[in-house]
Amino acid sequence: MKLKKFIALLLALVLALSVAACNPGSTTTSNEPSGTASTEPGGNEERTSISKIENFEPGTHGLDWRDYTLADEQVLDILLTFPSTTNLDPNDSTASNQWELFQMVGEGLFRVYGNPDGTQTMEPAGCESYEVSDDNLTYTFHLRDNKWSDGKDVTSADYAYSIRRLLDPEEAFGYAEYFWVLKNADAYYHGEGGFTVDDLGIETPDDKTLVLTLEQPTPYFIEEMGMVPIYPIRQDVLEAAPDEETWQTDYTYHVFNGPFVITDRVMDNSITLNPNPYYWDAENVKLTQVNLLTVSEQATQALMFENGELDVLDGSAEFVDRWQDAANNGDFIMAVFGRPQTGMIYFNEYDHEPGVPGEENIPADRPRGGASGLMLSEKCRLAISLSIDRQAFLDTVYNRYTVAGGFIPKGMECNGINFRETYPDDYITKLQAQYDTPEKLRALFEEGMAEAGVSGTVSDVTLILMNTSSSSLAASQVEFVQQNIQDVLGVTVQLKNVDSSVGRTESQKGAWDMMMYSWIGDYNDPGTFTFLYTSNSGYYTTFGGFNDEEYDHWHEVAMNSTDPQERADAFHKAEEILVTKAGVAPIYYGDQIVFTQTNVRNVNWPQVNPVEISRAFIVADDAQ
Amino acid sequence: MLKYTIERFLAMILTLFIIATATFFLLQAVPGDPLVAKTERLSAEQRDRMYAKYGLDKPVMERYLITMKGFLVGDFGESITFPGQTVWTIAHEKLPISARLGIQQMLLGITAGLALGIVAAMKKGSWPDYLVITLSILLISVPNLVFGLMLQYLFAGGVWKIFPTIGWPEGSELWTGGWEYTILPTLTGCFGYIASYARLLKTSMLDVINQDYIMTAESKGLSQRKIIFRHVLRNSFIPVLTNLPMSVVMCVTGSFFVERIFSVPGIGMYYTTAVQGRDLAVVLGWTVLIAAMMIIVIYITDILYTLVDPRIRLRGGKR
């Protein structure tokens, strides 16, 4: 009998353990918000309390280490996502872990710091100052005296070489298109007009001056100057390596011009950084060592953070519930930062318009207005958009993030104007007040049906919501939306799940009405969002396609004007058209939850760049 | 004998060819390609350029020929997900790490497993037997992931801080140093071996114990100890020896969960990531390499069998 009891006990243990094992860390791709659904009652109210970050010193930048008692050991342990960075080519940096590493070992014209309010600050770094010509076409950068880690000067030629290489069409670098705004670059890249690399608008009058000339005034151009893909590259070092590939992957063939240099790397395990003695601001680089650790298992990450083996942890909501109390007790610091991310539902509005980019990939028999034939109707789309209870969606699916009433997320700045603070995002709430009952929304939807020439009532309609992600998070998103639309509008919503690898093809075939996606901005300007829905955007066919001449017009105005106020107004008009005509249905703005140990200072999260730690330092325990 | 050896060798080459071809076309049939994730945020035009850069715009048959030609000279192509990495560089960097982990797990696991198997067989029907069998079921049903996290929590900080949380010896310590890093991962991975070898040996021993020659030995008045060690054990090892070569091959191929939990930079996690990312060159190359190792081990085992056990020879007549 005793033995049986023992076995029963063991089996129970096994079961319990297996259940625990069913919840391993969710793997997420760069474009998919990380996080998990939590249905814990009351969790949401508590969550709000941690988003107060007025006193979040470690999250700021520019604290002077001289004002603190420093700890004897200045070592920072921080994560680097798997797979660890094999590619050390700034031009070929497309993944966030590559950017994270290069911000530590490289220095571009500017360095980007994050502010606790979700905005970011770009400070001159590789350059000391710059001027813009009166016609807004010529940017002259005056370089700072800085040295590479082999003691040689950083010159304007290093910057020019890097930008020219980035624009080499043979290399097909992902970020090339951001710099087609340079004079002749677009034509050169596409092999038109017989331009050579020497015709590009890149000049180096002397070793300390870099002059970039644009094709036409580009107000957001300066925001791109902090991007990793144009960090300077030493041509002689690259050419001294046995071949380009070896240079790209082997750090020993590199010299660095940033605050740190790579001194050791164990592939997929760790990268060790030590200060670069030649760095221009070496006296303010206090860390003597940075350990970039690759830890994929989230439970292990959590254990290491609790042990103090990690100083900084960002990116996941998994730990929020677990560490709520510890954070409130001051054992460590947890904070929520803004993130330039908007989650949305987009509609199948593509209408075989000739000449739009990507048209050649669309089958000729793609249905107009989606599977239901209704998605070209503004009224039907608007009824769907207004039917979504966004707060309930967030409470059910994420238990974090904020409701999006507009398309452009918080923190985005238009040449210094904080867009969201200037223009409230009350489009949706205003319209929801107007259509405040399911009956009114159904009537609106049926009006749209009549206009589209579809007979019947809402109960005759089936809408297809396509989902191309296999994550449980995506599943709970689409299930919520399905239920929500069905309940309010009385239509049938069918889920269509396809594997992510065939998502693009299925999307092009067009047998769907709605899909969900979240977009993360690439640079600090509302244009990084509004351009998605212009009819000449490379994404036009990817995200449903919203064709509106007035929208295109206002986007054009914003992108060609150099007056910040005029630009912001134009972005606002474009956004208003997109949201009120339901070109998309914005649902939520993303955020970022970060954790640090209490003795860490000057670690901050810029809006579009990864974590910035170059001026971080550790304060002594008794001096906190 | 020579004819048999040559025939088996040719069959081995053919098998490898079939495996490579089948894997190639299976990978083609699976939807998606390695550039899906990489080009997600690029415009249609940039995307096409990327596909052309990696040769993925070529027809399937042309790519098959290129791949097969490469195999003949040992060129498995370059990873797309991990630029600059080839199957050989990955194997060179990561195989020793996974191999040390695997060998330690195997040595510890098999030794403990065999010892427990002997105990269970000798004490059949009593509590040590039940304990061993229950433990085997437990050890085999609980996933590695759970053991790993549990050991890590208990001994690497959560309760007691005895061992480092993550990491693996490198450089000069690659094979013989840094033991403190290897203990938890080794323990985590050895449970599977303990369970399977304990049960294997116990079953095999019970089978032998029922043979007539054991009864003869007993009736001759030999001591229990002598019977077990001289007659039973020796004859019970044949199934164990059959399993052993497979375990050796498998142990160098890495373990995804153990490597993930302890951040061991081995090959298991790399391969899994490659499969998820449809990194065709790496998946295909590594699959073929493992298949080759397996087939060679089986080949050697088969040849050795014919030497050891005449009953296994395929045809009659003198050789």
Side-chain angles (χ1 to χ4, degrees):
Chain A
M1 283 313 281
K2 264 192 174 169
L3 186 68
K4 270 189 185 162
K5 265 189 190 164
F6 175 65
I7 291 174
L9 195 74
L10 275 178
L11 284 176
L13 184 71
V14 170
L15 263 181
L17 289 171
S18 326
V19 171
C22 290
N23 191 17
S26 60
T27 52
T28 52
T29 66
S30 60
N31 287 316
E32 194 176 40
S34 57
T36 48
S38 162
T39 49
E40 193 189 338
N44 202 47
E45 290 90 308
E46 283 182 33
R47 196 69 45 84
T48 344
S49 68
I50 57 157
S51 61
K52 289 179 190 158
I53 46 175
E54 295 97 326
N55 299 318
F56 185 59
E57 234 181 3
T60 58
H61 72 274
L63 300 175
D64 193 337
W65 56 271
R66 294 167 191 86
D67 299 338
Y68 295 83
T69 315
L70 298 190
D72 294 339
E73 202 190 56
Q74 295 290 323
V75 178
L76 191 79
D77 297 300
I78 186 168
L79 286 180
L80 189 72
T81 45
F82 178 89
S84 75
T85 312
T86 52
N87 191 338
L88 298 169
D89 186 342
N91 291 156
D92 204 11
S93 291
T94 50
S96 71
N97 60 2
Q98 283 170 288
W99 281 49
E100 184 181 333
L101 178 63
F102 271 108
Q103 285 175 190
M104 299 175 191
V105 299
E107 182 92 319
L109 291 168
F110 296 88
R111 188 164 277 277
V112 184
Y113 299 92
N115 303 316
D117 69 354
T119 59
Q120 64 181 31
T121 306
M122 230 172 75
E123 287 184 3
C127 76
E128 224 159 19
S129 63
Y130 72 99
E131 294 117 39
V132 188
S133 66
D134 289 339
D135 59 4
N136 289 300
L137 286 176
T138 310
Y139 287 70
T140 308
F141 298 94
H142 303 287
L143 302 190
R144 194 186 293 278
D145 287 330
N146 190 21
K147 284 182 163 53
W148 293 92
S149 51
D150 63 353
K152 294 207 170 134
D153 286 341
V154 178
T155 67
S156 53
D158 302 329
Y159 284 93
Y161 176 68
S162 171
I163 302 174
R164 289 189 180 121
R165 186 166 170 270
L166 176 69
L167 286 168
D168 183 350
E170 293 292 312
E171 299 272 11
F173 290 127
Y175 266 73
E177 60 184 300
Y178 286 90
F179 298 90
W180 291 350
V181 293
L182 287 174
K183 193 176 161 212
N184 298 334
D186 198 344
Y188 163 73
Y189 193 85
H190 296 95
E192 293 154 9
F195 292 112
T196 69
V197 67
D198 299 323
D199 299 322
L200 296 172
I202 305 165
E203 283 160 85
T204 52
D206 61 59
D207 274 359
K208 292 288 163 207
T209 313
L210 175 72
V211 182
L212 299 178
T213 315
L214 308 186
E215 191 73 46
Q216 53 184 340
T218 311
Y220 59 88
F221 178 69
I222 199 70
E223 294 291 338
E224 297 182 343
M225 292 293 107
M227 283 185 171
V228 166
I230 55 160
Y231 274 21
I233 295 173
R234 272 270 290 280
Q235 185 173 5
D236 60 319
V237 172
L238 194 162
E239 284 168 358
D243 53 57
E244 193 175 70
E245 205 169 87
T246 312
W247 175 80
Q248 281 181 325
T249 52
D250 188 341
Y251 75 91
T252 57
Y253 287 100
H254 280 252
V255 290
F256 304 100
N257 70 333
F260 301 98
V261 296
I262 301 177
T263 45
D264 191 24
R265 173 169 75 170
V266 182
M267 208 55 104
D268 296 327
N269 180 263
S270 64
I271 296 178
T272 310
L273 309 180
N274 293 107
N276 174 6
Y278 292 103
Y279 185 58
W280 65 272
D281 196 24
E283 65 165 325
N284 288 316
V285 176
K286 298 317 288 179
L287 296 176
T288 54
Q289 184 164 327
V290 179
N291 297 317
L292 295 163
L293 304 169
T294 300
V295 183
S296 304
E297 181 54 48
Q298 286 192 329
T300 309
Q301 295 175 4
L303 184 66
M304 291 178 71
F305 186 72
E306 286 172 348
N307 286 347
E309 291 172 85
L310 274 177
D311 292 307
V312 179
L313 194 54
D314 72 316
S316 175
E318 302 256 318
F319 311 122
V320 173
D321 287 332
R322 179 166 166 177
W323 289 343
Q324 187 77 67
D325 292 340
N328 291 345
N329 291 341
D331 295 342
F332 48 81
I333 293 161
M334 166 154 57
V336 180
F337 276 81
R339 190 189 202 193
Q341 177 188 23
T342 304
M344 57 197 156
I345 301 174
Y346 59 93
F347 305 102
N348 191 342
E349 297 161 67
Y350 177 78
D351 195 19
H352 298 279
E353 302 101 43
V356 295
E359 185 202 3
E360 64 281 0
N361 297 321
I362 306 287
D365 60 350
R366 168 165 164 155
R368 284 192 69 220
S372 66
L374 291 170
M375 291 298 107
L376 286 169
S377 158
E378 198 180 303
K379 286 176 178 164
C380 289
R381 296 194 309 256
L382 188 62
I384 294 171
S385 175
L386 299 182
S387 74
I388 308 288
D389 184 344
R390 290 162 169 78
Q391 190 58 54
F393 172 85
L394 291 183
D395 291 347
T396 312
V397 180
Y398 285 102
N399 211 1
R400 66 187 278 203
Y401 295 161
T402 40
V403 165
F407 183 55
I408 294 161
K410 292 175 182 173
M412 277 277 146
E413 288 172 308
C414 177
N415 303 105
I417 298 175
N418 188 322
F419 187 82
R420 207 65 287 164
E421 276 176 13
T422 316
Y423 305 94
D425 58 347
D426 52 3
Y427 316 106
I428 302 274
T429 39
K430 273 185 184 162
L431 284 163
Q432 276 175 336
Q434 193 184 335
Y435 296 95
D436 54 353
T437 61
E439 288 71 33
K440 288 181 189 167
L441 287 171
R442 286 176 196 192
L444 179 67
F445 194 90
E446 282 174 353
E447 270 175 51
M449 288 170 66
E451 283 173 19
V454 175
S455 57
T457 64
V458 283
S459 55
D460 302 321
V461 173
T462 300
L463 299 174
I464 292 178
L465 176 58
M466 189 157 91
N467 172 26
T468 59
S469 164
S470 53
S471 76
S472 59
L473 185 65
S476 45
Q477 285 189 35
V478 291
E479 277 161 20
F480 180 91
V481 167
Q482 174 191 35
Q483 200 57 45
N484 189 152
I485 296 175
Q486 288 190 155
D487 289 350
V488 178
L489 291 183
V491 298
T492 307
V493 177
Q494 228 174 57
L495 293 185
K496 178 176 179 178
N497 290 304
V498 299
D499 191 80
S500 61
S501 51
V502 291
R504 194 183 300 139
T505 335
E506 286 300 314
S507 160
Q508 285 165 350
K509 284 187 201 154
W512 52 276
D513 293 299
M514 302 171 280
M515 286 176 72
M516 296 188 76
Y517 192 72
S518 84
W519 179 258
I520 301 172
D522 281 314
Y523 52 92
N524 186 21
D525 189 82
T528 191
F529 278 85
T530 54
F531 89 106
L532 285 177
Y533 284 96
T534 58
S535 52
N536 58 2
S537 148
Y539 296 92
Y540 184 71
T541 55
T542 314
F543 296 127
F546 168 68
N547 196 345
D548 190 283
E549 279 177 23
E550 220 188 326
Y551 178 86
D552 285 0
H553 167 73
W554 288 119
H555 176 81
E556 268 317 289
V557 170
M559 295 316 256
N560 292 321
S561 163
T562 49
D563 173 21
Q565 194 56 53
E566 188 189 2
R567 297 192 66 224
D569 282 339
F571 279 130
H572 172 234
K573 286 187 174 116
E575 182 189 41
E576 186 174 10
I577 292 166
L578 183 69
V579 177
T580 56
K581 290 189 172 181
V584 294
I587 307 290
Y588 65 86
Y589 302 132
D591 59 29
Q592 184 161 317
I593 295 183
V594 294
F595 308 94
T596 66
Q597 305 290 355
T598 50
N599 58 354
V600 175
R601 295 292 180 280
N602 271 359
V603 172
N604 57 90
W605 285 263
Q607 202 185 36
V608 291
N609 293 37
V611 61
E612 161 61 45
I613 57 120
S614 64
R615 308 300 194 273
F617 55 89
I618 315 283
V619 296
D621 277 339
D622 51 351
Q624 288 172 40
Chain B
M1 187 63 206
L2 185 67
K3 195 176 162 213
Y4 175 71
T5 313
I6 291 172
E7 270 174 19
R8 288 298 320 247
F9 183 76
L10 290 178
M12 182 174 96
I13 300 293
L14 185 69
T15 317
L16 260 185
F17 172 75
I18 292 171
I19 288 174
T21 306
T23 315
F24 180 87
F25 285 103
L26 278 175
L27 282 173
Q28 296 303 322
V30 178
D33 60 65
L35 287 179
V36 168
K38 210 172 176 174
T39 58
E40 193 173 23
R41 286 174 75 93
L42 299 184
S43 63
E45 186 188 0
Q46 275 298 85
R47 201 181 287 148
D48 291 345
R49 271 181 191 276
M50 287 277 255
Y51 274 86
K53 180 179 175 180
Y54 289 103
L56 284 173
D57 54 343
K58 294 196 174 86
V60 177
M61 279 319 287
E62 192 179 336
R63 273 186 285 149
Y64 174 70
L65 288 179
I66 294 172
T67 309
M68 281 311 190
K69 260 189 215 160
F71 280 4
L72 285 181
V73 293
D75 174 12
F76 292 95
E78 189 188 318
S79 164
I80 292 176
T81 321
F82 316 105
Q85 299 283 89
T86 67
V87 173
W88 291 118
T89 58
I90 294 168
H92 176 73
E93 267 169 29
K94 296 177 177 297
L95 205 56
I97 294 167
S98 287
R100 174 168 175 196
L101 176 59
I103 290 168
Q104 281 184 206
Q105 288 172 346
M106 197 178 70
L107 287 181
L108 183 63
I110 293 183
T111 315
L114 293 181
L116 288 175
I118 295 173
V119 171
M122 285 172 67
K123 306 275 180 193
K124 186 175 173 291
S126 66
W127 71 264
D129 180 25
Y130 289 128
L131 185 67
V132 168
I133 295 307
T134 317
L135 268 181
S136 307
I137 296 171
L138 183 77
L139 293 179
I140 230 164
S141 20
V142 178
N144 266 349
L145 177 75
V146 175
F147 273 129
L149 290 176
M150 220 164 66
L151 288 175
Q152 192 179 54
Y153 185 75
L154 288 177
F155 302 109
V159 182
W160 302 286
K161 182 76 195 163
I162 303 172
F163 300 110
T165 324
I166 57 158
W168 195 256
E170 48 160 319
S172 59
E173 295 191 325
L174 182 61
W175 286 103
T176 49
W179 293 98
E180 68 274 19
Y181 288 100
T182 70
I183 289 174
L184 293 182
T186 304
L187 280 179
T188 306
C190 78
F191 292 134
Y193 290 108
I194 295 184
S196 51
Y197 277 90
R199 291 195 314 168
L200 190 68
L201 187 63
K202 186 202 155 187
T203 321
S204 167
M205 276 177 73
L206 291 181
D207 193 39
V208 174
I209 285 172
N210 291 328
Q211 299 286 332
D212 292 344
Y213 56 83
I214 300 297
M215 207 188 282
T216 314
E218 273 171 1
S219 59
K220 276 162 68 182
L222 285 180
S223 72
Q224 181 77 0
R225 210 186 146 76
K226 259 191 179 155
I227 294 173
I228 293 288
F229 283 98
R230 194 167 287 173
H231 299 283
V232 180
L233 259 190
R234 194 175 284 180
N235 287 298
S236 310
F237 267 120
I238 290 174
V240 174
L241 289 178
T242 317
N243 268 25
L244 211 53
M246 282 295 145
S247 294
V248 173
V249 175
M250 294 310 290
C251 90
V252 299
T253 59
S255 153
F256 172 69
F257 283 120
V258 179
E259 289 179 8
R260 184 181 161 96
I261 296 164
F262 297 100
S263 286
V264 177
I267 203 143
M269 222 158 102
Y270 218 79
Y271 186 53
T272 317
T273 314
V275 172
Q276 277 170 353
R278 309 265 194 278
D279 198 354
L280 305 176
V282 174
V283 177
L284 186 59
W286 188 240
T287 308
V288 170
L289 266 190
I290 294 201
M293 283 197 283
M294 285 273 188
I295 290 172
I296 290 168
V297 168
I298 294 172
Y299 176 66
I300 295 171
T301 319
D302 280 358
I303 303 291
L304 288 180
Y305 265 143
T306 59
L307 298 177
V308 172
D309 188 345
R311 288 174 297 182
I312 293 173
R313 279 183 202 150
L314 291 181
R315 295 184 198 95
K318 283 186 181 169
R319 277 166 204 273

